[in-house]
Amino acid sequence: MNFDNKVALITGGARGIGRAIALGFAREGADIVVADVNLQEAEKTAKEIELLGRKSLALEMDVTDYAKVEEGLNKILDKLGKVDILVNNAGITKDNLLLRMSQLEWDAVINVNLKGTFNCIRAVARSMIKQRSGRIINIASIIGITGNPGQANYSASKAGIIALTKTAAKELASRNINVNAVAPGFIQTEMTAKLSDELKEKMKEAIPLNKFGSSEDISSVCLFLAGEGSSYITGQTIVVDGGMVMA
């Protein structure tokens, strides 16, 4: 793949899956905007990208605030001129059983995961419409498909992202903007690394491929969805879960 002269905006791009996506696009030639609430971590990732020979911009961005998203986009346009690819990866969890879940826990997750995705699509799509091209990739989750005890807020937000992806794809298709989602399953992260070996093995039993995925597995699908090979794909949710969810 070749993303020379392309600009990719990755929200939640400082660490974990977002960082892997940002580095993946940079390795393929794209200039990267690392947007995150943690500016210090975003700057670290931006420096890694610059070592790969690409331009990089670290932005402190609260995706729940549309005015701040728009302000950030203006900075991007001023410094890099455009946004060709948007990856909505910013997300949080605040798990609790439904009857114990507070309004604050519900609102916080919905605001970051779902409203944040809407805010970024709305802001960036205006620019993409003017240039009559763009790729938008939303990071959902298999939990948005299956549900999960203790994650009413998270599952609702991720299911909402899948529906939002379909609607945005229909509205933006005439402007040559493709909108798709990626739904990760169990991905090897700092959290799963802390689990006991016994619990890890039990979790793997539910996965036909009998292993956790990596952040790079998600990054590679994002690269495909942003590339020319996926030009006839829009409104879809690509499940990356080792076969755990089969419809």
Side-chain angles (χ1 to χ4, degrees):
M1 295 182 189
N2 187 331
F3 292 100
D4 288 349
N5 300 316
K6 299 291 186 181
V7 175
L9 165 58
I10 318 297
T11 70
R15 293 179 293 181
I17 290 174
R19 173 179 170 274
I21 294 170
L23 291 172
F25 275 104
R27 291 189 186 101
E28 297 297 331
D31 295 326
I32 309 296
V33 180
V34 182
D36 205 284
V37 290
N38 189 327
L39 181 59
Q40 187 174 9
E41 290 295 322
E43 288 173 340
K44 288 180 182 178
T45 300
K47 287 178 181 177
E48 289 184 76
I49 290 164
E50 288 169 0
L51 291 174
L52 295 171
R54 306 312 311 165
K55 293 178 184 175
S56 185
L57 174 64
L59 280 183
E60 183 176 4
M61 184 182 286
D62 177 1
V63 297
T64 69
D65 186 330
Y66 183 75
K68 290 182 180 178
V69 172
E70 204 166 39
E71 180 183 329
L73 177 62
N74 289 333
K75 289 180 181 178
I76 297 167
L77 297 178
D78 181 56
K79 291 182 179 296
L80 297 174
K82 60 177 181 173
V83 175
D84 300 292
I85 301 156
L86 166 65
V87 181
N88 282 304
N89 172 71
I92 63 170
T93 59
K94 288 187 180 294
D95 298 347
N96 213 337
L97 293 174
L98 183 64
L99 295 181
R100 296 177 183 173
M101 184 171 289
S102 69
Q103 293 290 316
L104 289 175
E105 289 169 331
W106 173 270
D107 289 346
V109 172
I110 295 296
N111 283 342
V112 174
N113 297 5
L114 183 54
K115 182 181 178 182
T117 297
F118 162 75
N119 283 342
C120 292
I121 291 175
R122 184 183 175 210
V124 174
R126 294 178 186 275
S127 173
M128 289 182 173
I129 286 170
K130 289 180 182 177
Q131 65 195 33
R132 299 193 67 85
S133 67
R135 298 297 174 91
I136 297 173
I137 302 162
N138 303 318
I139 305 300
S141 169
I142 60 167
I143 303 305
I145 299 171
T146 65
N148 199 41
Q151 290 191 303
N153 49 5
Y154 186 76
S155 61
S157 72
K158 294 300 186 176
I161 286 173
I162 291 170
L164 174 60
T165 296
K166 294 176 181 180
T167 295
K170 290 183 177 181
E171 291 189 9
L172 299 174
S174 65
R175 302 304 178 94
N176 195 33
I177 301 169
N178 296 46
V179 187
N180 291 290
V182 179
F186 285 115
I187 303 300
Q188 190 72 47
T189 62
E190 292 178 9
M191 181 186 73
T192 55
K194 295 176 182 177
L195 299 175
S196 68
D197 290 340
E198 182 180 355
L199 183 55
K200 287 180 185 178
E201 289 305 313
K202 187 174 182 180
M203 292 170 70
K204 287 178 184 177
E205 288 176 5
I207 304 171
L209 288 182
N210 195 37
K211 62 180 180 180
F212 295 134
S214 69
S215 296
E216 286 68 29
D217 290 323
I218 308 306
S219 175
S220 64
V221 176
C222 290
L223 287 168
F224 167 71
L225 290 173
E228 287 304 313
S230 65
S231 62
Y232 201 53
I233 299 173
T234 197
Q236 303 304 305
T237 299
I238 310 299
V239 176
V240 187
D241 68 347
M244 188 175 177
V245 175
M246 298 189 189

